[in-house]
Amino acid sequence: QITDGKLLVEPYEYYDRDVKIIVTGEELEKIIKGEKTPQESIGDGILMLEGDTEAALRLFSLVKKATKKTVAKKETAKKPVKKAVAKKTTKAEKEIVEMTKKPSNKVAKDIVK
């Protein structure tokens, strides 16, 4: 079960399963992060599958995609703050430039000097 971006695994005998995955949490994390492939983990004897291997590979693929989307959403959420700050700075700079263009303005004369 996946809840709030976290995979919850509880001990239970699921008789209607497509595949049974036996793996350590550390190895599963490496697979999800893309540090290892499921095939490498199987070759190392750390990941064992009983049942439909293709179903397990689809599951790993879906979890990997969901992880990437979560990271992308977090990065996207940070960008508007930077843009808003940049617009305020740009507007202030424009006002200073406009003030310096008007030599009749005493403040502008002082800034130009």
Side-chain angles (χ1 to χ4, degrees):
Q1 176 184 9
I2 300 174
T3 306
D4 296 327
K6 295 181 181 180
L7 180 64
L8 176 65
V9 181
E10 296 183 16
Y12 180 79
E13 187 61 38
Y14 297 92
Y15 294 106
D16 61 341
R17 67 179 175 258
D18 292 326
V19 63
K20 182 177 182 178
I21 302 170
I22 305 165
V23 65
T24 65
E26 184 179 309
E27 193 73 9
L28 181 60
E29 189 174 340
K30 288 179 184 178
I31 293 168
I32 292 170
K33 288 181 176 179
E35 295 171 4
K36 285 183 85 173
T37 65
Q39 293 83 349
E40 290 171 328
S41 297
I42 290 170
D44 293 342
I46 302 170
L47 171 65
M48 292 170 274
L49 303 174
E50 294 177 8
D52 186 355
T53 303
E54 291 301 317
L57 295 176
R58 285 192 306 272
L59 175 64
F60 288 129
S61 176
L62 288 172
V63 171
K64 197 172 185 178
K65 285 180 187 177
T67 304
K68 286 181 182 179
K69 286 181 182 178
T70 302
V71 170
K73 283 182 183 179
K74 288 179 182 177
E75 289 175 0
T76 303
K78 294 177 184 177
K79 290 181 182 179
V81 174
K82 292 179 182 178
K83 288 180 182 177
V85 171
K87 287 179 183 176
K88 288 180 184 176
T89 304
T90 303
K91 184 177 178 182
E93 289 174 347
K94 286 181 181 179
E95 288 175 4
I96 291 171
V97 170
E98 288 301 315
M99 286 174 60
T100 59
K101 286 181 181 178
K102 299 177 185 176
S104 62
N105 185 331
K106 184 178 187 234
V107 175
K109 287 179 184 177
D110 291 341
I111 292 173
V112 172
K113 291 178 186 177

